[in-house]
Amino acid sequence: MHRMHAYRRWFPALVGGALLLVGGCAGEPGANGEGKQAAAQGSTLARVQARGTVNCAIHTGQLGMSYLDKRGRWQGLFADYCRALAAAVLGDARKVKFMPVASNKRFTIVQTGEADVLSRTTTWTLTRDTDLGINFVGTMYYDGQSFLVPKRTSVARAEDLDGASICITKGTTAERNTADYFARKGMRFHSVVFENPEEAKLAFFAGRCDAMTTDAFTLTVIRLADADNPDDYVVLPELLTKEPVGPVVRSDDEQWNEINKWVLNALFAAEEMGVTRENAARMRSDSRDPEIRKLLGGLPGFGKSLGLDDDWAFRAIQTTGNYGEMFARHIAPLGVGRGQNRLYRDGGLIYPLPMR
């Protein structure tokens, strides 16, 4: 737990700095006119390669997923995905332009072409997938909505919140999910809606709401990073919803969608195959499994259909390690177990597609 206290000392200040950097323009087209014009011009891969960076929109600050460390370097599961993508398409994991973006502007920055990929906790839903001109490339983390409540109350499960006031962030799936849950249960609640998550959590800790709701992982981070005493609060174990979250790209470039889909899948497949950051080079040359050797570029022709060379997945895996390594590095230290984010063979929902 001492590590969590260390996080809490520096995390809020760094996140505040990130929010200042974003300002009010995170979702607007860039001054160079790339924005809407770029969205209508040809291959995203060609633009990325000509520019020399992957423009990656991320959360403004969320421990475990995308946050600034003490050195001012972006860390986290979703930040590392962008590094894996840059390694695959540009040959250099450092060639990422991280773009912290507020929740209410995260889709705009992809739609306009200012960001090549949105890599932050964003739930895959039917209306988002069909109405916004975007594609979800896969599920990187399986979550579910829950509630954060003070321990001093008698609330032990969601059904105990009948008549409660709930802090909710505007424009998130939590708004509709909460209303649907209370309607199903025949319960009442008072919705206290805020423009952004920062306002919502400040209001909750100030006692303006009986509970706060969003995805369970986010609530875990808020409890650890923002509560004066994390032990005074609890995230209810019950999950109201399914919240599959993952990277997002524009829907008008199938090649770029496929590249992102298979970079993500390569990280899953590497864990299934036992390929790690440390042994990838050896397994590329020594493995007797043709599927492993194709994945790692040991057999030719695997990158052509994506418009990449044969070493794209090898570079991605050497950059971040496999999915299990990424989880152990960024999520496990927060006290969050693998749960449904285990591989399917271990009882989870992560099911790699065949890498052949």
Side-chain angles (χ1 to χ4, degrees):
M1 185 58 72
H2 68 280
R3 186 172 181 176
M4 291 300 99
H5 293 315
Y7 276 139
R8 291 177 57 234
R9 284 197 297 271
W10 55 262
F11 178 71
L14 288 172
V15 171
L19 289 169
L20 289 173
L21 287 172
V22 176
C25 61
E28 302 301 324
N32 62 3
E34 187 175 9
K36 292 183 180 179
Q37 183 179 2
Q41 291 180 351
S43 164
T44 304
L45 176 62
R47 290 199 304 275
V48 167
Q49 290 174 334
R51 186 196 308 131
T53 60
V54 172
N55 290 350
C56 177
I58 55 173
H59 200 287
T60 52
Q62 185 181 40
L63 283 177
M65 296 299 186
S66 54
Y67 65 97
L68 285 169
D69 66 13
K70 296 178 181 179
R71 300 172 296 169
R73 176 179 165 87
W74 286 101
Q75 301 287 1
L77 194 70
F78 279 85
D80 269 1
Y81 171 76
C82 293
R83 293 190 174 97
L85 179 62
V89 301
L90 295 174
D92 189 340
R94 297 168 297 180
K95 293 184 177 180
V96 179
K97 179 182 179 183
F98 288 109
M99 307 171 72
V101 61
S103 177
N104 61 353
K105 300 191 179 195
R106 56 185 159 170
F107 297 117
T108 304
I109 199 171
V110 177
Q111 292 162 337
T112 61
E114 186 179 357
D116 304 308
V117 59
L118 171 66
S119 186
R120 54 167 288 168
T121 47
T122 300
T123 302
W124 191 346
T125 70
L126 184 150
T127 53
R128 286 174 172 177
D129 203 25
T130 58
D131 296 348
L132 299 181
I134 59 173
N135 280 337
F136 286 80
V137 302
T139 300
M140 193 165 184
Y141 188 88
Y142 291 93
D143 207 349
Q145 186 178 332
S146 187
F147 296 96
L148 179 66
V149 298
K151 276 187 179 179
R152 57 179 169 74
T153 68
S154 58
V155 174
R157 56 181 185 165
E159 290 184 359
D160 296 332
L161 290 170
D162 191 12
S165 57
I166 312 292
C167 284
I168 304 176
T169 302
K170 183 178 180 180
T172 64
T173 55
E175 281 190 281
R176 173 51 57 189
N177 294 340
T178 304
D180 289 349
Y181 173 80
F182 277 82
R184 283 195 303 271
K185 296 292 184 180
M187 294 162 37
R188 298 174 300 105
F189 78 103
H190 174 58
S191 179
V192 186
V193 179
F194 297 90
E195 286 292 327
N196 60 66
E198 191 68 22
E199 292 178 354
K201 65 187 179 184
L202 287 173
F204 170 70
F205 287 119
R208 292 179 57 187
C209 311
D210 299 311
M212 179 178 179
T213 188
T214 186
D215 295 349
F217 179 84
T218 301
L219 293 174
T220 298
V221 171
I222 289 171
R223 172 182 166 270
L224 293 171
D226 294 281
D228 289 336
N229 184 5
D231 291 337
D232 289 342
Y233 299 88
V234 63
V235 178
L236 298 183
E238 179 183 358
L239 297 180
L240 279 63
T241 62
K242 298 187 293 290
E243 302 292 334
V245 300
V248 172
V249 296
R250 289 196 331 275
S251 62
D252 63 353
D253 189 336
E254 185 60 24
Q255 180 194 32
W256 187 243
N257 181 31
E258 295 290 345
I259 288 171
N260 278 267
K261 178 194 303 181
W262 287 101
V263 167
L264 178 59
N265 194 73
L267 303 176
F268 297 154
E271 181 179 11
E272 181 184 53
M273 296 175 182
V275 179
T276 68
R277 184 157 52 178
E278 296 300 322
N279 70 17
R282 175 176 54 79
M283 293 190 76
R284 177 165 66 167
S285 59
D286 296 349
S287 176
R288 296 182 180 181
D289 187 332
E291 197 164 349
I292 291 177
R293 295 192 64 200
K294 285 181 180 178
L295 170 68
L296 299 175
L299 294 176
F302 199 53
K304 184 177 180 181
S305 60
L306 293 174
L308 303 174
D309 63 22
D310 291 334
D311 289 339
W312 63 272
F314 173 72
R315 291 192 299 268
I317 295 162
Q318 275 215 316
T319 293
T320 63
N322 64 45
Y323 180 75
E325 291 178 280
M326 294 166 65
F327 196 102
R329 187 162 61 247
H330 298 300
I331 308 300
L334 302 176
V336 177
R338 286 289 294 265
Q340 55 194 352
N341 292 291
R342 297 189 299 264
L343 289 175
Y344 73 100
R345 68 184 183 195
D346 300 324
L349 298 176
I350 301 295
Y351 189 95
L353 301 174
M355 297 295 292
R356 58 175 182 264

